[in-house]
Amino acid sequence: MTEQQLAAAVAERERVLAGFLDREQDRLSHACHDLARALFRGGTLFAHGTGAAATDAAHVAVEFLHPVIVGKRALAARATDALGPLARPGDVALALAHGPAGEATRAFLADAAARGLVRIAFTGSGGPPPEADHVFVVESADPAIVQEVQETAYHVLWELVHTFFEHPGLLEETCTTCGDVAVQAPVVRVGDGLAVVELAGRHEEVAIDLLDEVAPGDVVLCHAGVALERLERDAPAEATGFLYPFLEAEEEDLDAVLADLRASTVRKGQDTIALRRAVDLVAIERCATQVAARLRGGGRLLTFGNGGSSTDAQDLAVDALARGWPAMALNDDVATVTAVGNDVGFENVFARQVIALGRPGDVAVGISTSGSSPSVVRALEEAHRRGLLTCAITGYDGGALGAAGWLDHLLAVAGDYVPRLQEAHATMYHLLLDAMGARA
């Protein structure tokens, strides 16, 4: 793949991401609200991915559980293949697929629905969307582009969910339709004598026994958990505004927060686009040529990183294997990582594996947002001593690795904000694989 083709691939990513965030910014903010309410009440986020998206499920879990922003609370999250006995009503199920929703994704979401979990789904285009409370479809047939857009989206959910913790009044468990004033609300769905209505960005059930006929899209007047009257769909809001002045004030507060979230979502996408535009495509093409030559000569690709970057290293290895290239992620072996970390120090968890597994002719790719992670730096140093081709994907303009004269390839982006750097890193290693092509 030439530099011009790589540039076209970057432009396509920009088009898809900008279109997705413009289209979904409002629904992302509402999904964020539902997610925040569940976590605020002590719920757990269970993330599930099929195929290569399993690495994204792990990325979701580590971002929520171990926040990289100092001062943000750790939130209960777990990557899982199935809900099992751990899940409880009020938890959240988040499903990811880099293509259309398949059987595994639909089964996970169906199980979540039966258990009373809030359901969020991210899929690629093609086929009918799955059943979930919040469904986000990335309009692209390229799994790499779908993954990158989804990564931005779940980073947005993680970043902005903390906004609601700063507004606990919007997260308290209240039943608006059970209050002392009547309120009007649109009907979302109907079944078995009950209707689900939407109020202030959340869903509540009301009895509809007093009404002859109710359908999704109708607007009903509710009081004490009961739908009293079906209103004209085009009736102006102020016609019944005097009936629920307290709710109106509450909605103003929520609307203000949601508006901030929508604007912030678009800005975050613009920041990611700016970082991608600054990627050195010539450096990627040059690196891809040498990596492919090593692997064609019998070498193996060893990838590694920490935290979110460990899931990126896993994703890189999975995608390389899918193209026929021999690859392994060193952070996959949890027993070895914890053994080395416990016995001789975490800074050696990857270097120790390079000593045992690395051979001259192999390729070592370390991913570090700071460019200075001791475990990544030491592993690349060891790889260099043993004759491996050494490649680093970093932020911070390279960090400590940027000053390493022995490093064969440095793929660095400017910036110091981890979520945006990780999104740019996904683009970089996907472009690297595109430039390498599939193994003949």
Side-chain angles (χ1 to χ4, degrees):
M1 182 175 282
T2 66
E3 181 186 351
Q4 290 73 23
Q5 290 172 317
L6 292 176
V10 172
E12 176 63 7
R13 284 162 163 78
E14 178 177 335
R15 184 191 70 81
V16 176
L17 177 61
F20 175 85
L21 294 180
D22 182 63
R23 182 175 66 252
E24 302 290 7
Q25 57 179 290
D26 184 63
R27 295 199 308 122
L28 278 170
S29 66
H30 284 284
C32 184
H33 186 213
D34 279 355
L35 176 58
R37 291 177 67 230
L39 296 174
F40 184 77
R41 296 195 306 266
T44 299
L45 170 61
F46 292 97
H48 171 271
T50 57
T55 65
D56 287 281
H59 198 152
V60 169
V62 72
E63 296 289 8
F64 278 80
L65 188 61
H66 180 62
V68 296
I69 300 177
V70 176
K72 298 300 182 183
R73 68 178 70 186
L75 301 172
R78 183 82 175 175
T80 184
D81 292 329
L83 291 174
L86 291 176
R88 300 167 297 187
D91 289 337
V92 179
L94 188 150
L96 297 130
H98 294 165
E103 182 178 344
T105 299
R106 295 179 186 278
F108 176 76
L109 292 170
D111 187 24
R115 294 164 178 263
L117 277 68
V118 176
R119 296 159 297 154
I120 303 173
F122 291 97
T123 74
S125 57
E131 289 289 330
D133 299 292
H134 305 279
V135 180
F136 302 97
V137 179
V138 180
E139 298 295 339
S140 175
D142 186 332
I145 294 178
V146 172
Q147 187 279 331
E148 293 170 33
V149 173
Q150 290 177 350
E151 185 170 345
T152 298
Y154 62 68
H155 275 158
V156 166
L157 288 182
W158 168 74
E159 293 170 274
L160 299 185
V161 76
H162 293 279
T163 300
F164 283 107
F165 290 115
E166 299 168 5
H167 300 272
L170 300 177
L171 300 176
E172 293 173 354
E173 192 63 34
T174 59
C175 177
T176 306
T177 60
C178 296
D180 294 330
V181 294
V183 298
Q184 62 176 352
V187 175
V188 177
R189 56 182 179 269
V190 177
D192 297 329
L194 295 172
V196 176
V197 298
E198 183 174 355
L199 277 166
R202 59 181 176 234
H203 292 168
E204 296 181 14
E205 287 186 340
V206 294
I208 54 175
D209 307 74
L210 299 181
L211 306 182
D212 293 333
E213 184 178 347
V214 178
D218 287 345
V219 178
V220 293
L221 189 66
C222 307
H223 179 251
V226 177
L228 303 175
E229 180 183 355
R230 184 163 61 86
L231 306 174
E232 294 296 327
R233 297 191 187 194
D234 57 353
E238 56 269 25
T240 54
F242 69 96
L243 293 173
Y244 50 102
F246 174 77
L247 175 63
E248 187 172 351
E250 184 182 63
E251 284 184 323
E252 286 179 357
D253 292 339
L254 178 62
D255 286 346
V257 172
L258 293 176
D260 287 343
L261 298 191
R262 291 193 296 270
S264 180
T265 296
V266 173
R267 285 196 302 272
K268 293 176 191 306
Q270 293 169 344
D271 291 343
T272 298
I273 288 170
L275 282 181
R276 287 186 178 133
R277 287 178 177 176
V279 168
D280 187 342
L281 300 179
V282 173
I284 287 178
E285 187 178 12
R286 183 167 56 246
C287 180
T289 298
Q290 293 193 18
V291 171
R294 290 276 185 127
L295 300 186
R296 286 195 182 96
R300 298 179 298 182
L301 176 64
L302 312 181
T303 67
F304 43 90
N306 300 295
S309 293
S310 78
T311 68
D312 287 341
Q314 291 171 311
D315 189 37
L316 171 55
V318 168
D319 289 349
L321 286 168
R323 293 170 180 262
W325 301 110
M328 67 179 84
L330 300 187
N331 35 277
D332 277 348
D333 192 342
V334 177
T336 296
V337 169
T338 54
V340 176
N342 183 69
D343 295 344
V344 295
F346 190 83
E347 66 275 13
N348 297 302
V349 294
F350 303 132
R352 188 72 182 88
Q353 295 184 71
V354 170
I355 292 171
L357 299 170
R359 300 289 185 273
D362 288 346
V363 179
V365 178
I367 305 177
S368 169
T369 54
S370 68
S372 302
S373 300
S375 61
V376 173
V377 174
R378 286 205 179 187
L380 287 171
E381 288 174 339
E382 191 63 50
H384 171 68
R385 282 193 291 270
R386 293 176 176 274
L388 281 72
L389 185 73
T390 54
C391 312
I393 299 175
T394 79
Y396 288 77
D397 285 324
L401 288 168
W406 47 263
L407 190 67
D408 295 306
H409 294 280
L410 176 66
L411 306 178
V413 290
D416 57 5
Y417 186 59
V418 172
R420 304 292 84 79
L421 291 177
Q422 289 175 339
E423 292 154 26
H425 286 177
T427 297
M428 293 164 77
Y429 65 72
H430 284 148
L431 293 178
L432 180 70
L433 291 172
D434 285 346
M436 290 169 58
R439 187 174 188 180

